[in-house]
Every structure is written in C-alpha cells, then in structure tokens.
Amino acid sequence: MKILIAYASKTGTAEKAAKLLGEHFADVTLRDLTVGSPNPKDYDAVIVGGSIRMGTLHKEARKWLYQNWNVLKTKKFGCFICNGFIEQAPQLIEQNFSEEFLDLTVCVDSFGGELNLKRVKGIDRILVKMVIKSQLQSPF
C-alpha cells in the first residue's frame, strides 16, 4: 500500500511528527506542502498534517485539503495537528475540520507541540517571550 504523508509546518514540529509517523509504514512518501503539492491520486492512503497557529490549521495544509477534497473522499485518509496546548486539541480539530471531513477520516488526532525559540520568528517570537516572562513572574 502506497502511503502519502503530506504536512505543512511553520517551525518544524509538524515535519518532525510526519517523519516519526512515516517510520511506521513500509511504502511511504513524505511531502512538505509549503514547497509542493503532491497528487493524492498516486497513493492508496493519505495522511495530512499541519501546525496550528492562532487556532487555525496551517494555510498550505488547508489549501491542499480543499483542492484535493474530491480525491481524498475516495481514499483512506487520516489527519494530524500539532498544537502547543494538547487539552485544546478536541476544540481545534472541531473548528478546523468540517463534520463531513471528520466522518470520512479514519483518524484525526493531535501530536501536541513544542517550543523551539530558535525557529520562532517575528511577532510570534515577541509574543512567546512575553508569555514566558509573565509565567516566570507568576506566583503560581
């Protein structure tokens, strides 16, 4: 069975998750959706994943899912997200995927997240530093 794992990652966490997941399959192809758009017709099963930022799935993963939805409906497929607050995963999954998508998907889950300040840039970096600083000053 040929399996495609397509992912979109901003800081590398979804890429790491895709690679770890790929180790569990014999005939697997990993594709980064930020650099290309694989054709799901070429595979027996598809797993797509992406990072969550501000409550929303990575735009390249959303775009690819939308563009390929008619093909994906005919395949076995699963989905994963990478988000920093694992307890929010059920709500994030519900708000990012339609009921039809969730009904047809074999599995949808979160791999959690990680914080690697070296890979966080711009306004995200400033916000993360502010949160860390406020938590260090908290008496709780």
Side-chain angles (χ1 to χ4, degrees):
M1 177 182 275
K2 284 180 67 174
I3 299 170
L4 169 66
I5 300 178
Y7 63 90
S9 186
K10 184 170 181 176
T11 61
T13 304
E15 179 180 13
K16 275 175 138 175
K19 287 178 179 178
L20 287 170
L21 185 59
E23 292 175 3
H24 296 277
F25 302 100
D27 189 4
V28 66
T29 300
L30 276 77
R31 292 290 304 272
D32 183 346
L33 296 172
T34 64
V35 296
S37 182
N39 188 343
K41 289 179 184 177
D42 299 336
Y43 301 89
D44 302 309
V46 176
I47 301 169
V48 64
S51 57
I52 296 285
R53 287 277 186 257
M54 304 302 211
T56 304
L57 181 65
H58 193 291
K59 75 176 185 177
E60 294 301 326
R62 281 193 332 262
K63 184 171 95 175
W64 189 82
L65 284 167
Y66 180 77
Q67 290 172 343
N68 293 286
W69 178 236
N70 287 330
V71 174
L72 292 173
K73 290 191 293 188
T74 68
K75 305 273 181 189
K76 289 182 182 179
F77 71 98
C79 187
F80 70 88
I81 61 171
C82 291
N83 62 298
F85 300 100
I86 195 72
E87 68 279 357
Q88 294 177 357
Q91 296 88 353
L92 292 168
I93 289 168
E94 191 174 293
Q95 75 187 41
N96 279 280
F97 304 104
S98 71
E99 191 172 316
E100 179 187 19
F101 179 91
L102 295 174
D103 286 344
L104 293 174
T105 306
V106 173
C107 182
V108 178
D109 210 342
S110 172
F111 287 154
E114 67 180 352
L115 178 59
N116 181 347
L117 273 176
K118 292 178 183 173
R119 298 197 76 175
V120 178
K121 297 184 180 358
I123 191 73
D124 288 343
R125 186 177 181 91
I126 293 167
L127 292 171
V128 167
K129 284 185 172 186
M130 287 172 53
V131 169
I132 291 171
K133 185 176 179 181
S134 72
Q135 288 180 347
L136 292 175
Q137 295 172 354
S138 173
F140 303 104

